[in-house]
Amino acid sequence: MADGPDVVAKEFVDAIAWGEHHRVWDLLSAEGRGTVMRVGVAQGMDEGLVVRLRDGTATTAEREDFLGDLVKGLRADLAGNDLDALEAELDTPADAAPGTARVLLVAPLPPVLNLPGLPAATVELVEESGAWRVERIIPRLSK
């Protein structure tokens, strides 16, 4: 396998930060893409558009709008974090199923504080066709 799950998780966050919406989509697993579509429908996205996107028959404008909205939504989920500064730390439990991994995204604190960084999100990944892909991202919201 080329890159480890921590590298892929960081690439995913970097793609969100830089608005590389095609890269974000490419780094999602099949299940991750399905989840995005289900969430979209739950939030009012046209089911016909979902079918066209899934079948590859959506117009370029439809696809670009959808991917742009996806990145905006992911940015909103991670709001309050400097996406460029987030660090990816492998956090896979010892009893994890084979082909799965968990990565913790951490916002580093100034070195003078001598404290560990603050967790910003957890990224769950799966091995798919010999590469790690993002299954889901779970923001850690402060209350």
Side-chain angles (χ1 to χ4, degrees):
M1 204 171 299
D3 290 326
D6 53 337
V7 172
V8 172
K10 180 62 176 149
E11 286 178 16
F12 186 71
V13 171
D14 288 347
I16 294 167
W18 289 94
E20 297 173 353
H21 52 283
H22 289 279
R23 184 71 178 141
V24 168
W25 189 251
D26 290 344
L27 289 172
L28 285 170
S29 68
E31 178 63 29
R33 290 176 181 186
T35 299
V36 166
M37 299 290 194
R38 285 189 296 278
V39 169
V41 168
Q43 293 183 352
M45 189 167 100
D46 177 58
E47 291 187 38
L49 175 58
V50 170
V51 171
R52 290 191 301 278
L53 288 165
R54 192 177 1 193
D55 294 345
T57 59
T59 66
T60 300
E62 287 175 326
R63 182 172 165 80
E64 293 298 309
D65 286 347
F66 166 73
L67 293 176
D69 288 344
L70 171 60
V71 169
K72 287 177 195 169
L74 291 168
R75 284 180 179 162
D77 288 345
L78 297 170
N81 294 290
D82 178 356
L83 299 182
D84 287 326
L86 290 179
E87 298 172 354
E89 299 177 359
L90 198 55
D91 189 39
T92 305
D95 61 348
T100 64
R102 187 171 66 200
V103 173
L104 186 61
L105 298 176
V106 177
L109 294 174
V112 70
L113 294 177
N114 199 25
L115 293 170
L118 300 173
T122 300
V123 182
E124 295 178 357
L125 300 100
V126 295
E127 184 182 352
E128 208 172 70
S129 302
W132 289 104
R133 295 290 177 245
V134 174
E135 186 103 316
R136 69 186 45 86
I137 186 166
I138 306 160
R140 301 246 180 136
L141 305 173
S142 59
K143 302 247 178 199

